[in-house]
Amino acid sequence: TSTMAICTIGMIATIVLGFLNVVGWGLGLLESILIVIVVGFSVDYTVHLADSYMGSSSTNREGKVATALAHTGMSVLSGAISTILASIPMLATQISFFFKFGVFILLTIVLSLTFSLLFFASILAEFGPVGTTGSVAILYRGCVKRSQEEIEGQEAEQRLVDERVASERRLSEAESRVGSKTYDL
C-alpha cells in the first residue's frame, strides 16, 4: 500500500510543480513555501484512504476499497470541499501572494481529491494487499531466515577449516616428537 501511496503523492506533486513552471511563476520565496506545503496537502487524503483500506476486515480487495471509501471517503470529500471553499476568496484578491496561494491550494486539493478517490482507490482495488500479501514483516522474516542460513553455512565451513588446521598441527607436533627422539642401540 505504501508504494502505491507514494506513487500517487508523487504524481500529485509532479503535476503541481509542472503547473508552477507552465504558468511561469519561477522559484521565489512564496513558491518555495508552496512546494513544501504541496507534500502535506497531497499526502492527507491518500494516507487516510490507505489506513482505512489496511484496517478493513474485508477479505477481498473490492470489499476493502468499498469499506475504505464508505468510512473515510465522505470525510475526505468534506475536508476537500471546505478547503476548496476557503481558497476561492483568495482568487479574487489583488495581492499576488494571496492569489498564488489560492490557486496553489485549489489546484493541490482538487488533484489530491481526484487522485486519492479515483486513481488510488482503483489501484488498491486491482493490486492492493490482501491478507499477508505485500506484508513487510513476511519479507523481513524471509530476509532474516536467508541471512541466518548463510551465517550458519559460513560457520560450518569455518569449523571444518579450524578442525583441519588443528588436525594438521597435531600431526606436525607428533612428527616433530618422533623426529626429535634419539634411539640408543
Side-chain angles (χ1 to χ4, degrees):
T1 308
S2 59
T3 304
M4 291 178 254
I6 289 170
C7 290
T8 303
I9 294 163
M11 288 189 295
I12 295 166
T14 302
I15 292 171
V16 172
L17 294 176
F19 174 79
L20 291 176
N21 189 33
V22 168
V23 296
W25 282 357
L27 187 61
L29 178 64
L30 173 63
E31 290 80 14
S32 299
I33 293 168
L34 296 176
I35 289 169
V36 172
I37 293 172
V38 73
V39 177
F41 277 138
S42 56
V43 163
D44 195 27
Y45 306 140
T46 303
V47 169
H48 285 344
L49 284 174
D51 181 53
S52 198
Y53 177 91
M54 293 305 292
S56 172
S57 60
S58 189
T59 57
N60 61 18
R61 291 182 182 103
E62 293 80 16
K64 285 178 155 304
V65 169
T67 302
L69 290 174
H71 289 151
T72 310
M74 197 58 173
S75 299
V76 165
L77 185 61
S78 298
I81 290 171
S82 66
T83 307
I84 289 169
L85 290 175
S87 70
I88 289 175
M90 287 192 262
L91 300 176
T93 62
Q94 299 296 318
I95 301 171
S96 176
F97 175 87
F98 291 116
F99 177 77
K100 286 182 178 182
F101 197 74
V103 169
F104 180 81
I105 289 176
L106 182 67
L107 178 65
T108 304
I109 295 302
V110 166
L111 286 173
S112 185
L113 182 67
T114 304
F115 272 89
S116 64
L117 292 180
L118 299 177
F119 176 76
F120 186 63
S122 299
I123 292 296
L124 285 177
E126 191 64 32
F127 303 109
V130 176
T132 58
T133 303
S135 173
V136 176
I138 291 173
L139 179 65
Y140 176 75
R141 273 189 245 128
C143 290
V144 168
K145 183 178 178 184
R146 280 191 296 275
S147 296
Q148 286 175 337
E149 290 171 353
E150 186 176 321
I151 289 170
E152 289 170 0
Q154 290 173 350
E155 288 174 347
E157 288 176 16
Q158 187 62 43
R159 278 193 299 275
L160 290 174
V161 169
D162 290 346
E163 288 173 5
R164 188 175 308 129
V165 168
S167 175
E168 289 174 359
R169 186 177 309 133
R170 284 192 300 270
L171 182 61
S172 174
E173 289 172 357
E175 288 175 350
S176 66
R177 275 185 262 139
V178 170
S180 65
K181 288 187 181 182
T182 56
Y183 297 100
D184 291 329
L185 295 175

